[in-house]
Amino acid sequence: MANVLAGGDGLMGQFPLEQWFFEMPVCTRWWMTAALSASVLVQCHIINPFQLFYSFRTYWRLITTFFYFGPLSLDLLYHIFFLQRYSRLLEESSGRSPAHFSWLLTFASTLLLCIAPMFSMAFLGTALSSTLIYIWSRKNPDTMLSFLGLIVFRAPYLPWVLLAFSLVMHGTVPKDEMCGIVVGHIWYFFNDVYPPLHGGHSPLDPPTWWIRLFDGPPPPPVVETAEDDGFADHGAVDNGPSADVPAQ
């Protein structure tokens, strides 16, 4: 569509919404797309929420549990807004390659899948989103935020403000957001606090094989060779200083 509208100039002819979508980093883009698609399919009665909730018995639910945030509603838009905003900011700050951010998503998702049965959580999308919000807030401690235009606070308080807002709106303790904060703190501690205290070693860095999945093998090292400067004769052998022999 962009090529037709712009005569082949790519993003120049895209609609604002389309351009905003394709400017998102790849992991955030597809996670948000999957979340919206799941809600639309449930709203249209094409699939049932019980086909998406967390269960070890069917392997695809280990993934779909992170996609469903509820039916089409203002509450869904609220979750989608925070998902795409802070997931995007965190992914953009992790570099051009999706290897590091996808490793963060994999680690957080695995940990949430392990602790979810303890709290009877069926859907883990909100928990994973809360994990990313917590990590971003701790990485940007001096950023000032405003919530609903009513209160202004520093970024590290954002997860707790959202938790209190959920408590007021739903009247129950948001277990998923609390679990997300715990998982986020584990990642933040071992990725940002632990390394400076232990010689820069970070136990949660992605392994080499994971990085190769996204970036391919590293380029071969460049071997520098000595170049001829145009003055030395490389074929000559230095036999030391010569002595003049007087003629007999």
Side-chain angles (χ1 to χ4, degrees):
M1 179 182 293
N3 290 333
V4 174
L5 295 177
D9 290 336
L11 292 176
M12 293 296 294
Q14 289 185 342
F15 296 114
L17 183 61
E18 186 180 0
Q19 183 175 352
W20 167 79
F21 176 78
F22 284 104
E23 284 178 349
M24 277 191 290
V26 60
C27 294
T28 301
R29 183 196 314 160
W30 290 114
W31 186 18
M32 190 192 73
T33 301
L36 288 174
S37 300
S39 296
V40 170
L41 292 175
V42 169
Q43 190 72 26
C44 297
H45 303 288
I46 298 176
I47 60 176
N48 192 294
F50 294 104
Q51 297 175 285
L52 304 175
F53 75 92
Y54 173 42
S55 174
F56 276 114
R57 297 181 180 180
T58 47
Y59 62 88
W60 69 80
R61 294 183 183 179
L62 300 178
I63 300 176
T64 58
T65 183
F66 295 100
F67 295 160
Y68 186 64
F69 288 81
L72 297 179
S73 62
L74 289 177
D75 187 62
L76 173 65
L77 295 179
Y78 166 82
H79 285 292
I80 292 297
F81 169 78
F82 282 98
L83 181 156
Q84 69 85 24
R85 175 175 173 81
Y86 293 102
S87 176
R88 175 177 182 169
L89 291 173
L90 200 58
E91 185 172 0
E92 289 176 342
S93 66
S94 65
R96 297 181 59 185
S97 171
H100 287 78
F101 186 73
S102 61
W103 180 253
L104 162 59
L105 291 179
T106 302
F107 170 83
S109 300
T110 303
L111 204 53
L112 288 171
L113 289 172
C114 293
I115 65 177
M118 305 177 189
F119 301 96
S120 302
M121 294 189 298
F123 298 102
L124 303 178
T126 300
L128 183 57
S129 179
S130 298
T131 297
L132 302 183
I133 291 174
Y134 180 87
I135 296 172
W136 178 87
S137 68
R138 295 302 300 267
K139 286 179 175 289
N140 298 271
D142 297 325
T143 302
M144 300 300 297
L145 301 174
S146 174
F147 185 71
L148 300 178
L150 300 177
I151 55 175
V152 178
F153 52 90
R154 293 188 182 275
Y157 293 101
L158 176 61
W160 309 106
V161 171
L162 297 179
L163 190 147
F165 181 74
S166 297
L167 177 61
V168 172
M169 292 297 295
H170 300 98
T172 58
V173 177
K175 297 181 294 183
D176 47 2
E177 294 187 28
M178 294 182 65
C179 290
I181 289 174
V182 171
V183 173
H185 185 73
I186 293 174
W187 175 272
Y188 170 75
F189 177 81
F190 284 105
N191 194 68
D192 292 85
V193 179
Y194 181 90
L197 303 177
H198 296 80
H201 171 67
S202 178
L204 295 184
D205 280 345
T208 304
W209 62 267
W210 182 271
I211 296 177
R212 287 180 177 177
L213 287 177
F214 296 89
D215 300 341
V222 178
V223 179
E224 296 183 359
T225 58
E227 296 181 0
D228 187 3
D229 57 6
F231 295 97
D233 184 6
H234 296 286
V237 178
D238 187 5
N239 293 322
S242 60
D244 293 335
V245 179
Q248 298 294 331

